[in-house]
Amino acid sequence: MDRLRVSGLGVGVELQLSGSRSGDLGGLLRSAWARCLDRPAELEADPITLSLETPAGASEPASPRGSAQIWTNDADSLMVMATQAVTAALIKAQAGRLLMFHAGALSHPDTGASVVFVAPGGTGKTTLARRLGHRYGYLTDETVGIDPAGRILPYPKPLSLRTEGAAYKREFSPDDLGLLPAHPNPFVARIIMIERSDLHQDDPVVEELPLLTAISGLAPESSSLSSLDRGLHRCADLIEATGPVLRVRYSEADGLLGLMSELVGGSPGTASVRTAEER
Amino acid sequence: MTIARVTPVDRLTEGDESLLLYEHQVIRLGLIGTVIFDATAQPITLAALSALLDDVIGSPVTGTILESTAAAVEQLQAQGVLRVSADPDL
């Protein structure tokens, strides 16, 4: 059985690859998860078994939620399910330890000062990470874990992108997309709540949120907040240390470069972004 | 009828407002909700709670203080912040 170990949020998880196509699968995973391979981790999650073969008599595909065994004959689909399963395992392992938000994060490559952008799934986190990640270091596009000192535990996972003509989203390595690596010691400089809308025509609108309004808005996008010791106070302490949470309404991700520069400083990053279609 | 609060996992207060963290939700309380929450650490009757609200906040513009207190209690009960019992020894 082929194995590889990925880590994020300070948690490692072993991926056990079974079946006759495990070699092919291992190649795909090692490429997509390149930035998460063999990183140090303080905690270890239960292993996840992946296969590109459906076992005899089993339904196809297997659901990733709550399952440590995932199989399907479609490689793109399996890669997406693997990402979901790894993310769930990492979050579960850090429940009660880290403040965790459904968010992306980008860091200044020289200082580690980072902007955490919180939003529900499917509302712009991946696009923002992909578009601005050629100027700022890519920390994650999915889940941001923050320790009591305000340090971010990176989770530079593959990015799930929809490509033309494909039935499923595909997983792309941040390396293949030209995203800058993150600073080794990233920390929260500011939290923003993003609201992307095609109807928003003008420059981004930025609004400071009062403390309780901010926490009320962040709470639904948190994971295991009630498992933390004094979870509301952890949120409040972080906000008081980093400044008011900003609500940002915008239409185009590139329009937030100016805000990023204001919050964490301009970036010398010059790598170009290639869209999935351009690859 | 007695009224008592459901203990949250965490509570954050700022000015006259509060946030309550329960296992699966966060509830935001304004002034009236915060006063009621503070007054229901121990079981209390609706009449006693109404009298307390009358002292702290004053009478409502419309209706009686008892009616407005009952409405607020009902709302907080629906949100899972309060328990209401017919048992006076709740």
Side-chain angles (χ1 to χ4, degrees):
Chain A
M1 180 180 284
D2 197 3
R3 303 168 194 271
L4 70 153
R5 185 170 176 279
V6 300
S7 61
L9 301 176
V11 181
V13 57
E14 184 179 87
L15 304 182
Q16 301 174 342
L17 315 182
S18 66
S20 62
R21 297 171 66 192
S22 63
D24 296 341
L25 180 57
L28 292 171
L29 288 165
R30 285 186 177 85
S31 172
W33 288 84
R35 293 197 188 176
C36 294
L37 293 176
D38 301 319
R39 295 171 62 100
E42 294 180 0
L43 301 173
E44 198 68 26
D46 292 335
I48 297 169
T49 302
L50 303 170
S51 176
L52 270 172
E53 290 175 345
T54 301
S59 61
E60 203 275 332
S63 167
R65 299 200 183 282
S67 171
Q69 296 190 19
I70 302 167
W71 61 82
T72 176
N73 295 327
D74 182 84
D76 288 342
S77 177
L78 184 66
M79 292 292 286
V80 170
M81 289 196 289
T83 300
Q84 293 170 347
V86 169
T87 301
L90 303 185
I91 290 173
K92 181 180 176 185
Q94 285 290 14
R97 301 168 188 269
L98 296 182
L99 190 54
M100 292 183 281
F101 295 113
H102 306 145
L106 295 165
S107 67
H108 191 288
D110 296 333
T111 67
S114 305
V115 172
V116 176
F117 39 99
V118 179
T123 59
K125 297 190 296 292
T126 297
T127 302
L128 195 55
R130 186 164 61 101
R131 298 302 301 179
L132 304 192
H134 62 299
R135 302 280 186 98
Y136 295 93
Y138 172 67
L139 287 163
T140 188
D141 71 335
E142 171 71 33
T143 302
V144 176
I146 304 164
D147 76 6
R151 292 182 292 247
I152 295 175
L153 282 75
Y155 179 32
K157 56 179 277 296
L159 293 85
S160 300
L161 303 176
R162 194 170 296 285
T163 55
E164 201 170 324
Y168 297 102
K169 285 186 174 180
R170 284 182 56 201
E171 300 290 271
F172 290 92
S173 160
D175 291 331
D176 288 346
L177 296 170
L179 304 188
L180 290 181
H183 189 277
N185 299 303
F187 62 91
V188 180
R190 190 64 74 96
I191 298 172
I192 67 176
M193 298 180 66
I194 56 171
E195 294 183 8
R196 200 201 73 78
S197 170
D198 290 331
L199 301 176
H200 186 83
Q201 297 290 324
D202 302 318
D203 291 338
V205 174
V206 181
E207 172 191 8
E208 287 189 1
L209 298 180
L211 181 65
L212 298 193
T213 303
I215 296 176
S216 297
L218 292 173
E221 304 309 328
S222 65
S223 291
S224 306
L225 185 61
S226 62
S227 300
L228 281 176
D229 181 32
R230 291 165 55 85
L232 294 177
H233 287 78
R234 280 276 291 270
C235 279
D237 291 346
L238 179 65
I239 293 168
E240 284 169 7
T242 58
V245 172
L246 304 178
R247 177 185 288 142
V248 182
R249 297 185 173 93
Y250 70 103
S251 59
E252 296 297 331
D254 291 342
L256 297 188
L257 266 176
L259 178 64
M260 284 292 296
S261 182
E262 279 182 41
L263 295 177
V264 298
S267 168
T270 56
S272 63
V273 172
R274 289 180 295 165
T275 66
E277 294 79 9
E278 290 168 342
R279 293 180 70 249
Chain B
M1 181 174 81
T2 55
I3 302 151
R5 72 188 187 196
V6 177
T7 304
V9 175
D10 194 14
R11 176 193 184 184
L12 187 66
T13 302
E14 188 178 61
D16 294 330
E17 293 187 273
S18 301
L19 283 185
L20 307 177
L21 174 61
Y22 291 98
E23 187 174 354
H24 296 297
Q25 64 177 347
V26 169
I27 303 290
R28 186 172 185 172
L29 302 180
L31 170 61
I32 294 174
T34 297
V35 171
I36 291 175
F37 184 84
D38 286 336
T40 52
Q42 300 299 322
I44 187 172
T45 65
L46 183 63
L49 185 59
S50 297
L52 181 72
L53 280 171
D54 201 13
D55 285 346
V56 176
I57 299 171
S59 298
V61 177
T62 58
T64 67
I65 186 68
L66 197 62
E67 289 169 343
S68 64
T69 304
V73 166
E74 186 177 358
Q75 187 177 347
L76 291 170
Q77 183 186 13
Q79 291 178 300
V81 174
L82 296 179
R83 271 193 303 261
V84 178
S85 172
D87 180 0
D89 298 323
L90 174 77

